[in-house]
Amino acid sequence: MVTTWANRRRTRIDDLATGRSLGADALVRLRRNPVAIVGAVIIALFILVSIFAPWIAPHDASQAFPELQEGLRPDVIPGAQPGFPLGSDQNGRDFFSRMILASRQTLLVGVFATVIGLIFGVLIGVLAGAFGGWVDTLLMRFTDVLLSIPSLLLAISIAALAARPSQTTVIIAVAIVGVPIFARLLRGSMLAQRDSDHVTAATALGVKRRAIVLRHMVPNAIGPVIVQATLTLATAILDAAALSFLGLGDGDPARAEWGLMLANAQAYLDVRPALAFYPAIAIILVALGFTLLGEALREALDPKGRR
Amino acid sequence: MLRFIVRRLLQVVPTLFVLSVLLFAWLRLLPGGPAAALLGDKATPEKIAELNRVLGLDQPIPLQYLRYLGRSLTGDFGNSLISGDPVISEIGRALPATLELSVAALLLAVVLGIPLGYVAARYRGRPLDTTTVIGTLVGVAVPVFFLGFLLKQWFAVDLGWFPPSGRQSVSIDATKVTGLAVLDGLLTREFDASWDALVHLVLPAIALATIPLAVITRITRASVLDVLGSDFVRTANSKGLAPGTVRSRHVLRNALLPVSTTIGLQTGLLLGGAVLTEKVFVWGGLGTLIADGITRRDYPRLQAIVLLGAAVYVLVNLLVDLSYALIDPRVRLR
């Protein structure tokens, strides 16, 4: 029997011998990192709940029940009762079903805002990093300006342009906040690639510029951007909640989304604090999950950590 | 040094210029144009045309921009749609409240964050370190406004230790000097007023400080760890310097450089967080102006505060850069 230590040691030597890529190597290290596992478990649960939400939730999120509405008083919101495990919300709807179904909407806001920000950020970053010169100066000046506005103020000024705030305006506002961050990160790490040996070699071999940028520079430069995107998933959900709190969220009362529910529950904090607590805890857990995952990814992708 | 300062100052100019263009264009992005948005439900084609003429919106765009730029530079941001007062005087009245809150929060974050990060790094891997790291991760995941409500509910409503909202008790008749309530009380020797203001400040400052505190703690920890592993610390230790000397003169001094940059970046977070915190605690500063401005769609007010916020943010970071150059001569050479 070999000891665990020897086993681990051997795997490591095997890794080196097989010459695994940084990506595969990172994956291995990610699996050994408890932080990554905790983050991944939280996020996996969150995604599972949102996939199976309609089957888990016993009721419709927007439906009000007479038996719950009967119990509603200015100072009373009914708690748990048969068929309604978490009781009623401020409008006589099943709070449990709303909590479950809200996972979908919250995931939707976070993912869409991040992906849209990512697409535009990467586009700007690639253009700036690939062309350099005045294109670079111009694009970076633009990102400087976006970065000079404190992020929540930027989101507010975009969301406030809409005459009628909706989920779409929240997503757009939060997405734009991420664009300059992604752009700068990608540009920075592409610039570091430009003078590297493998790019020089590709150029000398006569590889087309387009191929150098897309096949040699971008794949090697995208790491920090992916880390940032994971972290942005957390801040996007928090920013969306903040916008809802400021009255720039979706005005549709039927919509069940954790940030919106938390914001709307503030008026009933004296009557039924649970209406704020549950969405808040859900948001904190999800944000924590994405943050842990992002931090672990950052560590795993850091070439300094390779042995 | 002077050349460095001038160069950094010149770099700010284009940023502020493009910012002014963006904010100028911003109002023109409104559906139906600014006039329709300003008039709201009362909009008729005649009224819109009339307001457009009054606002100078019938002029060519470049001329409009030059006018806007000229007015902004002289501090004329138009009148608030809510109060009818000039926006600049509204901001003037609200600024001390936000300044007091932000300074208190930043102080709290720095005074607690740097020692906490340092201690966590020194005892790396021990329970204290693990707790700190978990704390910083949870700290940034809590919605600021929810934390504010929690503090308010527990320590003000349930326990009654602190007042739930506002900056001063109605019963206190304080003399205004600077507008910073705590400082005013000290200056005028009205110590009860100072104490009253301080008690009001505690909960909002804690709520606002949480995220900067978490960030500063983490950066300090990472930075100290980095320096602890460096060659010059090993050298200092092996040549027999007293551990205290190595810690204060070698480790802390070098570790604080990245921290100072982070502190500058926190001012942006503070401005955003102030909007949420001030709304929870009915603070009556810039954040309250913004929050009210949002619900009533007071565009001139929002435009002015965003411009001001960005200018302050850029300026603070410029100052941090300059101080950085002052501490570390290597920066100047670049």
Side-chain angles (χ1 to χ4, degrees):
Chain A
M1 269 306 273
V2 276
T3 62
T4 339
W5 177 81
N7 251 336
R8 221 181 282 149
R9 187 88 206 131
R10 207 173 48 195
T11 341
R12 231 174 246 163
I13 294 168
D14 288 349
D15 290 357
L16 287 176
T18 49
R20 254 200 289 234
S21 73
L22 181 61
D25 195 35
L27 206 67
V28 170
R29 266 185 286 140
L30 215 51
R31 280 206 304 251
R32 291 185 192 139
N33 185 349
V35 173
I37 293 170
V38 173
V41 167
I42 294 176
I43 298 309
L45 274 176
F46 172 48
I47 292 173
L48 277 179
V49 168
S50 61
I51 290 175
F52 295 107
W55 291 278
I56 302 172
H59 304 290
D60 182 22
S62 55
Q63 190 189 349
F65 291 89
E67 56 265 53
L68 292 177
Q69 279 177 317
E70 260 169 34
L72 285 180
R73 303 275 179 282
D75 55 343
V76 181
I77 293 172
Q81 47 190 285
F84 305 101
L86 290 181
S88 167
D89 78 343
Q90 62 270 31
N91 295 319
R93 295 170 296 198
D94 178 33
F95 187 39
F96 177 69
S97 301
R98 286 179 69 74
M99 276 301 296
I100 297 293
L101 289 161
S103 62
R104 287 191 156 190
Q105 298 294 324
T106 306
L107 189 66
L108 188 111
V109 170
V111 169
F112 268 78
T114 306
V115 169
I116 294 171
L118 195 61
I119 292 173
F120 285 96
V122 164
L123 217 63
I124 293 175
V126 167
L127 286 178
F131 287 101
W134 65 267
V135 178
D136 181 32
T137 313
L138 202 73
L139 289 171
M140 284 309 107
R141 197 55 70 207
F142 173 69
T143 59
D144 272 351
V145 173
L146 286 186
L147 286 173
S148 76
I149 306 174
S151 62
L152 189 61
L153 285 191
L154 180 61
I156 288 172
S157 29
I158 295 156
L161 280 177
R164 202 175 294 278
S166 66
Q167 198 160 42
T168 318
T169 58
V170 170
I171 290 173
I172 293 173
V174 176
I176 291 179
V177 171
V179 170
I181 304 172
F182 292 128
R184 286 218 81 110
L185 263 177
L186 186 62
R187 171 203 177 251
S189 79
M190 277 185 62
L191 283 187
Q193 295 283 319
R194 204 153 57 174
D195 301 323
S196 66
D197 291 343
H198 71 97
V199 171
T200 317
T203 317
L205 283 171
V207 180
K208 285 202 189 89
R209 208 170 123 110
R210 219 178 111 110
I212 292 181
V213 169
L214 293 180
R215 308 194 55 159
H216 295 262
M217 287 167 75
V218 174
N220 280 304
I222 204 84
V225 180
I226 291 172
V227 171
Q228 184 60 41
T230 318
L231 297 171
T232 301
L233 281 165
T235 52
I237 290 171
L238 290 168
D239 283 351
L243 286 180
S244 294
F245 173 65
L246 291 170
L248 290 170
D250 196 328
D252 180 3
R255 177 94 64 196
E257 191 269 315
W258 289 332
L260 204 60
M261 290 164 74
L262 173 58
N264 292 336
Q266 307 296 340
Y268 306 94
L269 221 54
D270 286 335
V271 187
R272 205 157 167 242
L275 292 183
F277 269 105
Y278 285 109
I281 288 168
I283 288 176
I284 294 170
L285 273 178
V286 169
L288 190 66
F290 281 126
T291 311
L292 291 178
L293 210 57
E295 291 298 332
L297 258 178
R298 188 206 302 278
E299 231 169 87
L301 284 172
D302 185 359
K304 273 193 280 183
R306 288 187 100 179
R307 264 170 292 215
Chain B
M1 186 68 195
L2 192 69
R3 272 188 57 191
F4 176 79
I5 295 177
V6 171
R7 206 173 60 213
R8 282 297 280 113
L9 272 173
L10 286 179
Q11 278 170 358
V12 174
V13 176
T15 308
L16 289 180
F17 170 72
V18 181
L19 179 75
S20 72
V21 174
L22 270 189
L23 276 176
F24 169 78
W26 178 67
L27 271 185
R28 276 133 201 95
L29 282 174
L30 282 172
L38 296 186
L39 285 168
D41 300 334
K42 290 172 289 187
T44 60
E46 299 84 52
K47 274 192 170 169
I48 290 178
E50 154 119 34
L51 189 63
N52 272 338
R53 208 168 36 252
V54 174
L55 294 174
L57 294 173
D58 51 350
Q59 307 278 328
I61 296 276
L63 196 68
Q64 283 185 39
Y65 171 72
L66 284 179
R67 270 213 187 145
Y68 161 77
L69 192 67
R71 289 195 302 130
S72 302
L73 287 176
T74 51
D76 176 9
F77 295 105
N79 292 344
S80 159
L81 301 178
I82 297 174
S83 65
D85 288 352
V87 172
I88 190 76
S89 52
E90 273 190 344
I91 293 179
R93 279 196 300 270
L95 192 63
T98 301
L99 201 63
E100 185 168 47
L101 177 61
S102 311
V103 169
L106 192 61
L107 223 66
L108 209 62
V110 170
V111 167
L112 292 177
I114 293 180
L116 207 59
Y118 179 77
V119 171
R122 257 198 82 192
Y123 299 99
R124 184 185 192 179
R126 307 262 192 88
L128 179 76
D129 178 36
T130 317
T131 319
T132 309
V133 171
I134 293 175
T136 59
L137 289 171
V138 176
V140 291
V142 181
V144 176
F145 65 96
F146 176 67
L147 183 73
F149 268 111
L150 272 190
L151 291 171
K152 186 167 149 175
Q153 187 70 31
W154 286 341
F155 296 104
V157 180
D158 293 346
L159 293 169
W161 292 355
F162 298 98
S165 61
R167 291 179 69 204
Q168 267 174 334
S169 307
V170 198
S171 56
I172 299 269
D173 182 32
T175 324
K176 243 188 177 176
V177 187
T178 57
L180 305 170
V182 178
L183 190 67
D184 281 357
L186 293 178
L187 288 176
T188 55
R189 301 183 161 271
E190 292 165 359
F191 295 119
D192 53 333
S194 219
W195 178 251
D196 178 66
L198 195 65
V199 171
H200 278 83
L201 190 55
V202 173
L203 294 182
I206 294 176
L208 186 54
T210 320
I211 294 181
L213 172 63
V215 178
I216 289 175
T217 307
R218 279 190 46 185
I219 301 285
T220 309
R221 178 180 175 273
S223 169
V224 169
L225 279 180
D226 216 33
V227 177
L228 278 177
S230 63
D231 292 342
F232 68 88
V233 170
R234 195 195 51 203
T235 309
N237 275 324
S238 51
K239 75 181 181 189
L241 277 184
T245 316
V246 177
R247 265 180 239 139
S248 61
R249 301 205 46 120
H250 294 76
V251 177
L252 206 57
R253 227 175 137 166
N254 283 291
L256 285 185
L257 279 172
V259 178
S260 68
T261 314
T262 311
I263 295 173
L265 292 173
Q266 298 311 305
T267 50
L269 263 180
L270 285 173
L271 279 168
V275 182
L276 303 169
T277 315
E278 288 192 11
K279 186 167 168 143
V280 174
F281 290 97
V282 199
W283 191 250
L286 289 180
T288 313
L289 281 187
I290 295 179
D292 291 347
I294 290 169
T295 33
R296 305 271 297 270
R297 294 291 190 277
D298 191 343
Y299 293 107
R301 187 195 265 181
L302 292 178
Q303 193 182 24
I305 299 182
V306 171
L307 185 65
L308 183 87
V312 169
Y313 190 38
V314 169
L315 215 68
V316 168
N317 282 299
L318 179 72
L319 287 177
V320 169
D321 271 12
L322 293 182
S323 69
Y324 209 109
L326 216 60
I327 308 171
D328 187 348
R330 283 171 303 179
V331 176
R332 262 171 275 162
L333 300 175
R334 269 196 271 123

